[in-house]
Amino acid sequence: MFKKLLISLFCLLVLAVAGSSLWVWQGLQTLEQPVALTEPVLFSVPSGSGYGQVARKLEEEGLAGDSLWLKIHGRLFPDQTRLKAGEYEFTAGMSALDMISMMVAGATKHWQIQFIEGWTFRDMRRALEASERLEKVTTDWTDDQIMEAMGAEGEHPEGRFFPDTYLFTSNESDLDLLRRAFERMEEVLAAEWESKAENLPYDSPYEALIMASIVERETGAAHEREEVAGVFVRRLEKGMRLQTDPTVIYGMGENYQGRITRSDLQTRTDYNTYRIDGLPPTPIALPGQEAIHAALNPADGDALYFVARGDGTHKFSRTLQEHQKAVREFQLNRRSDYRSSPAPVPAPETGEAEQ
């Protein structure tokens, strides 16, 4: 009798264990089932969040069933509990385990911001301010404070940040992006300086950067950059003034309203290259790598002048007489769609992008 009772108890225990195991197995299986999502969902894991907190949050936001199964999964697979803070994008077809794997890998959502060649540092700061996803640290900082944070105290910010498209996560700030752009410009300028042409009229990489910014503003036509740089280099070598309108515009600051007058050309500023000799004191814009390369590898030739054709390109001339003829041809009786440079660059924009 006692033996039969033991056998019965053992059978009941086996059935209970088997039933429990089946129940757990079925519960864990739900973690592999796709979550019903009609559109991508952003999920944030704050810094310092524990695995159990994240599991509950997934349940509360309808991204997982009973968080109990996630917690059991974590017990069975401890490596799967090491989640990284950040913002994640979950899409249709993903399961709760897919989401956990993404957070373990730290595959956070990336956003993008674009700094365009030819922009000023002011334009760049406006773009940073307009970015909704970027943490703002420097909004109330002066330019001097920003340069101090870059380790360049007392230096001018214009032209010192590399124009490019930068990806960032929700854990990054505007200061982080400024550092990345500053360091990238340092790297690009140093590399281009190492491979520069010989006998250039620059005493330092910074002077080349100034020239690159002028080239950037004078033409966006890639095939003209070396030729434009060649004209300016020859003028410097001959002691001629650069006489380039973009420097005048930069020196006018907020006074520039879309046109340069004769009076503007005659007004002396630190940047008016119709009135000053040599290069202006700082860059006038963010030059891209192509413009930097052109400034350090100008085209050979004998042209000393150029004038805008009105389609974004230029007519180059060797003599003042040829130049004056080109001015009469292209600048007198201008068409209504005349422009001295390529079509305007769009205003600062931000957007989303995957890594």
Side-chain angles (χ1 to χ4, degrees):
M1 181 71 179
F2 180 70
K3 185 176 180 180
K4 290 182 179 179
L5 179 60
L6 287 177
I7 293 173
S8 298
L9 289 173
F10 177 76
C11 291
L12 288 172
L13 180 60
V14 169
L15 289 173
V17 170
S20 297
S21 298
L22 178 62
W23 174 68
V24 171
W25 180 82
Q26 289 176 331
L28 292 175
Q29 286 296 106
T30 64
L31 300 179
E32 300 181 13
Q33 297 172 2
V35 178
L37 294 176
T38 57
E39 59 184 17
V41 171
L42 291 176
F43 183 82
S44 179
V45 179
S47 180
S49 298
Y51 179 82
Q53 291 174 290
V54 175
R56 287 192 298 273
K57 188 176 180 182
L58 286 170
E59 179 184 355
E60 291 167 359
E61 297 188 13
L63 298 172
D66 193 332
S67 60
L68 170 66
W69 306 120
L70 282 171
K71 294 173 183 176
I72 293 175
H73 175 80
R75 291 282 186 178
L76 295 173
F77 304 98
D79 288 346
Q80 291 284 294
T81 64
R82 298 168 185 169
L83 310 182
K84 296 179 176 64
E87 194 169 31
Y88 297 86
E89 184 178 65
F90 300 146
T91 57
M94 293 183 69
S95 67
L97 288 186
D98 292 331
M99 298 173 189
I100 291 295
S101 296
M102 180 179 283
M103 290 183 279
V104 169
T108 54
K109 171 71 176 178
H110 282 71
W111 312 91
Q112 74 175 23
I113 189 169
Q114 188 176 26
F115 306 136
I116 297 176
E117 294 91 340
W119 274 9
T120 63
F121 185 59
R122 180 178 296 180
D123 293 329
M124 184 178 176
R125 293 199 66 177
R126 285 173 179 158
L128 289 168
E129 179 62 27
S131 177
E132 296 179 358
R133 294 286 175 179
L134 192 61
E135 180 188 355
K136 309 300 191 305
V137 172
T138 69
T139 299
D140 297 324
W141 288 18
T142 64
D143 290 353
D144 288 342
Q145 287 174 307
I146 288 176
M147 292 307 289
E148 183 177 355
M150 299 300 109
E153 184 177 0
E155 298 180 20
H156 199 281
E158 198 66 78
R160 301 296 300 277
F161 299 83
F162 191 73
D164 203 351
T165 298
Y166 292 87
L167 298 181
F168 64 92
T169 69
S170 58
N171 290 330
E172 293 182 277
S173 70
D174 53 356
L175 182 58
D176 293 322
L177 288 183
L178 284 165
R179 284 201 180 99
R180 285 165 57 188
F182 182 85
E183 291 169 1
R184 177 64 178 148
M185 180 60 83
E186 295 276 281
E187 293 168 359
V188 170
L189 183 58
E192 291 292 344
W193 181 260
E194 285 297 316
S195 60
K196 69 181 185 299
E198 297 181 356
N199 302 317
L200 293 174
Y202 311 132
D203 293 330
S204 66
Y206 188 66
E207 289 189 354
L209 188 66
I210 295 173
M211 177 64 81
S213 73
I214 296 173
V215 172
E216 189 68 74
R217 291 294 294 154
E218 273 289 5
T219 181
H223 67 282
E224 284 192 347
R225 290 188 181 119
E226 283 81 3
E227 196 167 3
V228 167
V231 169
F232 287 139
V233 165
R234 285 187 288 275
R235 291 180 75 90
L236 286 178
E237 291 172 338
K238 292 178 179 292
M240 299 173 66
R241 289 177 174 171
L242 295 184
Q243 296 184 324
T244 169
D245 291 356
T247 63
V248 178
I249 293 170
Y250 188 83
M252 291 173 66
E254 296 295 333
N255 293 326
Y256 178 67
Q257 300 297 321
R259 290 193 61 185
I260 302 176
T261 66
R262 185 179 298 274
S263 174
D264 295 327
L265 296 179
Q266 295 172 346
T267 300
R268 186 179 182 86
T269 72
D270 290 341
Y271 292 86
N272 186 346
T273 52
Y274 286 84
R275 299 299 308 277
I276 66 170
D277 298 327
L279 294 165
T282 75
I284 61 170
L286 309 179
Q289 185 163 4
E290 292 80 4
I292 296 172
H293 182 82
L296 288 166
N297 297 274
D300 293 330
D302 50 11
L304 292 171
Y305 307 88
F306 59 86
V307 63
R309 298 175 185 271
D311 61 358
T313 63
H314 297 82
K315 169 68 175 177
F316 294 85
S317 303
R318 295 179 298 113
T319 67
L320 180 59
Q321 183 178 6
E322 290 177 1
H323 177 62
Q324 290 172 334
K325 179 181 178 182
V327 170
R328 289 193 295 271
E329 178 181 357
F330 293 109
Q331 291 208 339
L332 297 180
N333 302 315
R334 294 179 179 180
R335 306 189 313 269
S336 60
D337 63 346
Y338 177 94
R339 63 178 189 269
S340 60
S341 60
V345 172
E349 294 180 356
T350 60
E352 302 177 14
E354 300 297 339
Q355 186 176 20

